[in-house]
Amino acid sequence: PYDNNAALSLKAEIELAAGRIAGAADLFQKADATMPCSWAHAGLARIYARQKNWPAAKDAWQTSTASKGEILRDGFSADYVLAHLELARVYRHLGDVAQARSHYQAFLRIWAGGDDLAFRRQAAQELQELDHS
């Protein structure tokens, strides 16, 4: 199941990169049905966000962040941190300022020792705008 899930997820990423959203969604859903995993949920979350389906994106990102152990064990640890940033943005779109703030703060706290990259500065700016709105 793990190899099939990885192959389906890779194909889904290719579909997504090519702009074929429906095909990517179908493949990520098949991957998740084969063996639920964080990268399939993250892929679905990105698709739902692109479609502005904020409730579905929230659910998928929450499932992804709940998979912290899996991500840290099998994946790329930055994926866990970035999931908090994406979840903050989704909550902002949903109008849930408290949850958005919480996830922005979690992202910035975890990333505090990391490189000062553009997305970190952007997240800090988004949090500041949220606090002043």
Side-chain angles (χ1 to χ4, degrees), residues 44-84:
L44 285 168
R46 291 192 326 265
I47 288 169
Y48 297 143
R50 201 180 266 191
Q51 296 171 331
K52 298 185 180 355
N53 182 347
W54 304 119
K58 175 189 65 91
D59 291 345
W61 279 123
Q62 283 180 324
T63 301
S64 184
T65 59
S67 302
K68 178 181 178 181
E70 175 194 337
I71 295 169
L72 297 178
R73 182 190 69 231
D74 296 336
F76 181 55
S77 57
D79 289 344
Y80 172 72
V81 182
L82 292 171
H84 279 288

Side-chain angles (χ1 to χ4, degrees), residues 19-51:
R20 295 186 290 268
I21 306 299
D26 182 56
L27 288 164
F28 277 128
Q29 288 167 345
K30 286 179 181 174
D32 188 50
T34 301
M35 187 178 104
C37 70
S38 63
W39 63 68
H41 294 121
L44 285 168
R46 291 192 326 265
I47 288 169
Y48 297 143
R50 201 180 266 191
Q51 296 171 331

